[in-house]
Amino acid sequence: MQSCRAMPPTRTAVILAAGVGSRLRPLTDDRPKALVEVHGRSVLERAADALSAHGVQHLIIATGYRQEAIAERLAGRLERVTLCHNPRYESTQNVVSLALCRDAVAGAAFFKLDGDVIFDPDVLLRLDASAASLAVAVDASRNVDAEAMKVQCQGSKIVAFGKELPLDASAGETIGIERIDADLSPRLFEAIDTCVAAGRTDVYYEHVYDQLVRRGTSSELVAVGDLRWTEIDDLADLERARRLFASSATA
């Protein structure tokens, strides 16, 4: 990993929090899964606090299901919070939710976080230390399965993204947190817009990442396998998160 960057620390973050979280019901009957709590603090609040402590000043949240609950919970946090609503959250994939954040990002460098990930804040420090246009937090310590979002690398350079990548060619599993630099930001959204305009509303944003790296965009694997993290898709994941973060008052 390259450790010296001429660019300033990242001050904007996008959190994708539109999902219903049906596998977490009944906990999500009245809230999106990003507001499910781990030891008294929601996944979203933990992420917002970690981002604020890192110096992020503008938090952009892609919302869908129960947007009003997110607005209420985040009132007064950070210097600026923008909600970007995806009215088609039930019928589209996260590439559409990210596309709707374009105007709010306004060409800035930004962290992109999935709204169901709980993580150690050092993930942000490591991403900001990368000199790549697209820095991707990857756990290479786990045995990945066919459903994991995987990366293929040449050294630390990422050359492909996809769930369909062969397991024996995988360099690890992405955890759902990346840093996009200011030079790449406009090009990323242009590529996303092209994808959505072509009717590909059923794909993950990693589909666009894959297109970009295959065209030469620099992307680096940032190893985070030694740090605590987990996504929370179902009740078993929630119990894992409670165990992982039992001894910590902050994410």
Side-chain angles (χ1 to χ4, degrees):
M1 181 190 304
Q2 299 183 52
S3 60
C4 182
R5 300 176 67 222
M7 293 172 283
T10 308
R11 299 302 188 198
T12 300
V14 173
I15 300 180
L16 304 181
V20 174
S22 59
R23 286 185 285 171
L24 285 163
R25 284 182 169 142
L27 298 177
T28 54
D29 284 347
D30 64 348
R31 70 194 69 186
K33 66 175 177 176
L35 292 184
V36 169
E37 294 184 350
V38 176
H39 299 301
R41 294 167 60 222
S42 71
V43 176
L44 183 58
E45 288 171 296
R46 285 173 172 268
D49 288 345
L51 290 162
S52 180
H54 186 72
V56 169
Q57 299 166 346
H58 185 194
L59 179 59
I60 301 162
I61 305 174
T63 61
Y65 176 67
R66 298 284 185 175
Q67 173 183 250
E68 70 284 355
I70 288 178
E72 179 180 347
R73 190 68 68 93
L74 288 182
R77 286 180 181 268
L78 295 178
E79 295 183 19
R80 183 181 174 198
V81 176
T82 302
L83 303 185
C84 298
H85 186 62
N86 177 7
R88 297 189 292 159
Y89 66 90
E90 290 187 284
S91 61
T92 60
Q93 259 300 348
N94 57 26
V95 70
V96 174
S97 292
L98 183 53
L100 293 170
C101 297
R102 177 178 187 162
D103 290 345
V105 171
F110 66 99
F111 291 113
K112 194 290 305 163
L113 296 83
D114 289 350
D116 60 357
V117 177
I118 182 170
F119 60 95
D120 274 329
D122 280 353
V123 170
L124 303 175
L125 288 171
R126 293 187 186 182
L127 289 172
D128 246 353
S130 172
S133 296
L134 174 61
V136 182
V138 175
D139 188 344
S141 69
R142 297 186 183 186
N143 292 323
V144 297
D145 56 31
E147 282 302 306
M149 182 59 69
K150 297 174 281 293
V151 294
Q152 187 173 354
C153 293
Q154 294 175 354
S156 64
K157 177 184 177 181
I158 298 176
V159 296
F161 291 81
K163 289 189 174 185
E164 72 285 354
L165 291 176
L167 294 178
D168 59 2
S170 168
E173 174 183 2
T174 64
I175 78 166
I177 307 177
E178 302 86 47
R179 194 217 73 247
I180 293 90
D181 75 11
D183 289 337
L184 177 59
S185 183
R187 293 190 289 115
L188 170 63
F189 282 105
E190 287 171 7
I192 289 173
D193 287 348
T194 299
C195 180
V196 173
R200 296 305 311 272
T201 61
D202 59 336
V203 298
Y204 300 101
Y205 55 79
E206 288 96 347
H207 173 79
V208 179
Y209 290 173
D210 183 71
Q211 292 179 334
L212 289 169
V213 299
R214 290 178 186 272
R215 296 172 191 161
T217 294
S218 65
S219 182
E220 182 178 25
L221 180 155
V222 176
V224 297
D226 59 321
L227 300 177
R228 295 177 302 169
W229 75 277
T230 189
E231 63 179 352
I232 302 177
D233 277 333
D234 54 31
L235 294 173
D237 291 338
L238 180 58
E239 182 56 35
R240 171 180 168 81
R242 288 169 174 164
R243 293 195 304 269
L244 276 174
F245 290 87
S247 62
S248 175
T250 60

